[in-house]
mmCIF file of all heavy atoms in Angstrom:
data_model
loop_
_atom_site.group_PDB
_atom_site.id
_atom_site.type_symbol
_atom_site.label_atom_id
_atom_site.label_comp_id
_atom_site.label_asym_id
_atom_site.label_seq_id
_atom_site.Cartn_x
_atom_site.Cartn_y
_atom_site.Cartn_z
ATOM 1 N N TYR C 155 104.320 59.624 106.132
ATOM 2 C CA TYR C 155 104.570 59.378 104.719
ATOM 3 C C TYR C 155 103.720 58.223 104.213
ATOM 4 O O TYR C 155 103.568 57.211 104.884
ATOM 5 C CB TYR C 155 106.044 59.023 104.499
ATOM 6 C CG TYR C 155 106.988 60.163 104.751
ATOM 7 C CD1 TYR C 155 107.446 60.446 106.034
ATOM 8 C CD2 TYR C 155 107.449 60.951 103.705
ATOM 9 C CE1 TYR C 155 108.324 61.492 106.278
ATOM 10 C CE2 TYR C 155 108.339 61.995 103.932
ATOM 11 C CZ TYR C 155 108.763 62.250 105.216
ATOM 12 O OH TYR C 155 109.627 63.281 105.455
ATOM 13 N N THR C 156 103.193 58.361 103.000
ATOM 14 C CA THR C 156 102.464 57.288 102.339
ATOM 15 C C THR C 156 103.413 56.579 101.372
ATOM 16 O O THR C 156 104.545 57.023 101.160
ATOM 17 C CB THR C 156 101.267 57.841 101.541
ATOM 18 O OG1 THR C 156 101.773 58.718 100.509
ATOM 19 C CG2 THR C 156 100.290 58.599 102.436
ATOM 20 N N GLU C 157 102.936 55.494 100.760
ATOM 21 C CA GLU C 157 103.731 54.799 99.745
ATOM 22 C C GLU C 157 104.066 55.742 98.594
ATOM 23 O O GLU C 157 105.161 55.688 98.037
ATOM 24 C CB GLU C 157 102.983 53.574 99.228
ATOM 25 C CG GLU C 157 102.837 52.444 100.223
ATOM 26 C CD GLU C 157 104.140 51.714 100.484
ATOM 27 O OE1 GLU C 157 105.048 51.738 99.624
ATOM 28 O OE2 GLU C 157 104.263 51.119 101.567
ATOM 29 N N ALA C 158 103.114 56.616 98.226
ATOM 30 C CA ALA C 158 103.360 57.576 97.145
ATOM 31 C C ALA C 158 104.483 58.542 97.521
ATOM 32 O O ALA C 158 105.336 58.885 96.685
ATOM 33 C CB ALA C 158 102.085 58.350 96.814
ATOM 34 N N ASP C 159 104.507 58.986 98.781
ATOM 35 C CA ASP C 159 105.587 59.872 99.251
ATOM 36 C C ASP C 159 106.933 59.158 99.188
ATOM 37 O O ASP C 159 107.938 59.754 98.782
ATOM 38 C CB ASP C 159 105.327 60.338 100.690
ATOM 39 C CG ASP C 159 104.109 61.235 100.824
ATOM 40 O OD1 ASP C 159 103.866 62.044 99.906
ATOM 41 O OD2 ASP C 159 103.417 61.121 101.853
ATOM 42 N N ILE C 160 106.943 57.894 99.571
ATOM 43 C CA ILE C 160 108.187 57.121 99.542
ATOM 44 C C ILE C 160 108.682 56.970 98.106
ATOM 45 O O ILE C 160 109.885 57.061 97.839
ATOM 46 C CB ILE C 160 107.993 55.755 100.223
ATOM 47 C CG1 ILE C 160 107.727 55.962 101.721
ATOM 48 C CG2 ILE C 160 109.202 54.857 100.020
ATOM 49 C CD1 ILE C 160 107.318 54.710 102.472
ATOM 50 N N GLU C 161 107.762 56.791 97.170
ATOM 51 C CA GLU C 161 108.154 56.685 95.760
ATOM 52 C C GLU C 161 108.775 57.997 95.279
ATOM 53 O O GLU C 161 109.745 57.990 94.523
ATOM 54 C CB GLU C 161 106.944 56.306 94.905
ATOM 55 C CG GLU C 161 107.288 56.023 93.466
ATOM 56 C CD GLU C 161 108.276 54.896 93.287
ATOM 57 O OE1 GLU C 161 108.280 53.944 94.084
ATOM 58 O OE2 GLU C 161 109.069 54.984 92.322
ATOM 59 N N ILE C 162 108.243 59.121 95.704
ATOM 60 C CA ILE C 162 108.819 60.423 95.346
ATOM 61 C C ILE C 162 110.230 60.555 95.921
ATOM 62 O O ILE C 162 111.135 61.023 95.239
ATOM 63 C CB ILE C 162 107.903 61.575 95.821
ATOM 64 C CG1 ILE C 162 106.611 61.571 95.018
ATOM 65 C CG2 ILE C 162 108.613 62.924 95.702
ATOM 66 C CD1 ILE C 162 105.528 62.494 95.554
ATOM 67 N N VAL C 163 110.422 60.120 97.154
ATOM 68 C CA VAL C 163 111.758 60.157 97.761
ATOM 69 C C VAL C 163 112.723 59.301 96.958
ATOM 70 O O VAL C 163 113.859 59.704 96.687
ATOM 71 C CB VAL C 163 111.703 59.679 99.237
ATOM 72 C CG1 VAL C 163 113.097 59.481 99.799
ATOM 73 C CG2 VAL C 163 110.925 60.660 100.091
ATOM 74 N N ARG C 164 112.258 58.134 96.529
ATOM 75 C CA ARG C 164 113.126 57.267 95.716
ATOM 76 C C ARG C 164 113.488 57.934 94.383
ATOM 77 O O ARG C 164 114.619 57.829 93.922
ATOM 78 C CB ARG C 164 112.437 55.930 95.461
ATOM 79 C CG ARG C 164 112.426 55.037 96.675
ATOM 80 C CD ARG C 164 111.869 53.662 96.342
ATOM 81 N NE ARG C 164 112.010 52.785 97.479
ATOM 82 C CZ ARG C 164 111.011 52.107 98.031
ATOM 83 N NH1 ARG C 164 109.798 52.195 97.533
ATOM 84 N NH2 ARG C 164 111.224 51.333 99.077
ATOM 85 N N LYS C 165 112.535 58.621 93.777
ATOM 86 C CA LYS C 165 112.811 59.333 92.522
ATOM 87 C C LYS C 165 113.829 60.447 92.749
ATOM 88 O O LYS C 165 114.735 60.643 91.930
ATOM 89 C CB LYS C 165 111.520 59.909 91.948
ATOM 90 C CG LYS C 165 110.601 58.866 91.372
ATOM 91 C CD LYS C 165 109.323 59.491 90.864
ATOM 92 C CE LYS C 165 108.361 58.443 90.331
ATOM 93 N NZ LYS C 165 107.090 59.027 89.883
ATOM 94 N N ILE C 166 113.685 61.170 93.847
ATOM 95 C CA ILE C 166 114.626 62.245 94.174
ATOM 96 C C ILE C 166 116.025 61.661 94.349
ATOM 97 O O ILE C 166 117.000 62.170 93.788
ATOM 98 C CB ILE C 166 114.184 63.005 95.440
ATOM 99 C CG1 ILE C 166 112.899 63.799 95.164
ATOM 100 C CG2 ILE C 166 115.300 63.916 95.946
ATOM 101 C CD1 ILE C 166 112.239 64.366 96.404
#
Side-chain angles (χ1 to χ4, degrees):
Y155 292 84
T156 62
E157 291 288 336
D159 294 324
I160 294 172
E161 187 59 32
I162 291 169
V163 170
R164 286 186 173 126
K165 288 178 182 178
I166 292 169

